[in-house]
Amino acid sequence: MSQQAVSDIALTARILGAAFYYPPEETGQITELLSSGDWMAEWPYGTDAQKQAAADKLHTATAGGETHTQAYQRLFIGPQALPASPWGSVWLDKEQVLFGESTVALRQWMRDHNVDIVLTQNEPEDHIGLLLMMVAWTAENNPEAVNALLAEHLLPWARYYLAKMQETCASPYYEGLSALTALTLNAWQETRLIIPAEKTIFA
């Protein structure tokens, strides 16, 4: 992988991962960047039309007076049922549980490739945000393993999650974030000639 490709993947994956994983008040600069549209000229993936569609959503005021922080609470924390689960095992495990077999497989992959992420609480590593940040770390530290991480642990379920977020989350900002992430994942898959593992989707 060229140094430019490494840099592109690492930067975009880190931005997207942080935006999904952390509350907006903890990612102020990223939230402002994505909402402003200033990222469009430098974003290395997607057509102008695709990026503009995502930017329009990201820039749209939240519906019904809901803040980005309130939307994050509703979409990723609860207490009500989440419109779309951000954890891979809920999509890939027949019982639709956290810490399912796919999470165990991801942990084994992480051990095999010396990936060590620091979590502040006992939570599954297959959160969409954590996985994207793991892609960034892997691109910088073990670029030859990026394709396997994407093919086995992110691409098989992420497109279903991102599509459902765009359809049901009722938050323009997170709809736009999901659209931007989807076009970025598609670009990674196409440019790196990745064939995602065939896995049954249960969610």
Side-chain angles (χ1 to χ4, degrees), residues 3-62:
Q3 188 56 49
Q4 186 62 55
V6 168
S7 298
D8 288 346
I9 290 175
L11 178 62
T12 55
R14 187 166 287 112
I15 289 172
L16 297 172
F20 270 112
Y21 185 68
Y22 295 108
E25 64 269 20
E26 295 183 21
T27 58
Q29 289 184 325
I30 288 176
T31 304
E32 291 174 11
L33 172 68
L34 293 174
S35 298
S36 71
D38 291 344
W39 54 271
M40 287 181 58
E42 302 296 330
W43 202 263
Y45 311 113
T47 65
D48 289 344
Q50 288 174 320
K51 288 188 283 189
Q52 187 63 59
D56 289 345
K57 286 287 189 179
L58 286 160
H59 185 65
T60 300
T62 53

Side-chain angles (χ1 to χ4, degrees), residues 135 145-156 185 188 192 194 196:
V135 170
V146 167
N147 282 20
L149 176 58
L150 291 170
E152 290 292 330
H153 301 290
L154 184 57
L155 291 176
L185 291 183
W188 291 346
R192 298 187 61 76
I194 300 171

Side-chain angles (χ1 to χ4, degrees), residues 43 70 94 115 154 195:
W43 202 263
Q70 289 169 331
K94 187 175 183 179
V115 178
L154 184 57
I195 301 175

Side-chain angles (χ1 to χ4, degrees), residues 48-109:
D48 289 344
Q50 288 174 320
K51 288 188 283 189
Q52 187 63 59
D56 289 345
K57 286 287 189 179
L58 286 160
H59 185 65
T60 300
T62 53
E66 183 183 54
T67 66
H68 290 335
T69 298
Q70 289 169 331
Y72 177 89
Q73 178 75 28
R74 176 173 58 81
L75 294 170
F76 298 98
I77 308 298
Q80 285 80 26
L82 307 184
S85 174
W87 294 281
S89 66
V90 176
W91 296 85
L92 298 173
D93 191 283
K94 187 175 183 179
E95 303 301 322
Q96 296 182 279
V97 295
L98 297 179
F99 297 103
E101 291 184 4
S102 63
T103 310
V104 174
L106 173 61
R107 287 179 171 177
Q108 183 60 54
W109 186 92

